[in-house]
């Protein structure tokens, strides 16, 4: 079974990144989006995120901002341990594309792919060799 991937963040950012990924790769059944609106409490956000996870034993959450409310809500869920959550912050399109293209069902490996792709997706064009 594929590891569910939830994009978590402020406003429409998660939907935008998800829609861009699906424009490039096509529909992605394991991809879900959980957005924080100005009216949401972190607790409400956490409840919605868990509902998106369904009965998955583990999931990967890609959050937009380290230390932001969505990140903190997911971190609190991760500490509880059910489901097992790998949480990576700094959501960007290269990160998501690499995760979606990776074929492993190992959530820890997917989190490593996300970290590496997110970091490597930031390039100073003036210093680039291509």
């Amino acid at each position: 079974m594929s590891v569910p991937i939830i994009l978590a963040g402020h406003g429409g950012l998660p939907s935008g990144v998800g829609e861009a990924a699906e424009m490039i790769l096509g529909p992605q059944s394991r991809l879900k989006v959980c957005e924080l609106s100005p009216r949401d409490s972190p607790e409400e956000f956490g409840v919605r995120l868990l509902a998106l996870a369904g009965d998955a034993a583990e999931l990967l959450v890609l959050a937009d901002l380290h230390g932001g409310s969505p990140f903190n809500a997911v971190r609190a869920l991760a500490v509880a341990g059910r489901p097992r959550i790998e949480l990576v912050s700094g959501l960007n399109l290269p990160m998501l594309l690499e995760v979606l293209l990776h074929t492993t069902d190992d959530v820890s490996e997917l989190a490593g792919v996300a970290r590496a792709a997110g970091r490597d997706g930031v390039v100073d064009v003036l210093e680039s060799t291509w």
Side-chain angles (χ1 to χ4, degrees), residues 40-115:
D40 291 333
S41 71
E43 294 78 21
E44 291 167 331
F45 181 85
V47 167
R48 280 202 328 274
L49 189 128
L50 284 178
L52 288 171
D55 60 359
E58 54 189 18
L59 63 133
L60 175 63
V61 177
L62 304 178
D64 62 349
L65 182 63
H66 186 86
S69 295
F71 174 90
N72 290 334
V74 175
R75 185 178 59 187
L77 296 173
V79 168
R82 276 189 157 128
R84 179 171 175 240
I85 298 173
E86 287 281 343
L87 173 60
V88 178
S89 63
L91 171 62
N92 63 44
L93 186 56
M95 171 192 289
L96 179 57
L97 291 173
E98 286 297 323
V99 166
L100 291 171
L101 290 170
H102 211 74
T103 58
T104 188
D105 283 338
D106 182 321
V107 70
S108 295
E109 186 176 334
L110 279 177
V113 167
R115 288 189 302 272

Side-chain angles (χ1 to χ4, degrees), residues 7 12-23 31 33 35 62 91-97 100:
L7 307 181
L13 181 88
S15 288
V17 174
E19 288 171 10
E22 288 186 324
M23 178 185 293
L31 184 60
V33 172
E35 297 176 336
L62 304 178
L91 171 62
N92 63 44
L93 186 56
M95 171 192 289
L96 179 57
L97 291 173
L100 291 171

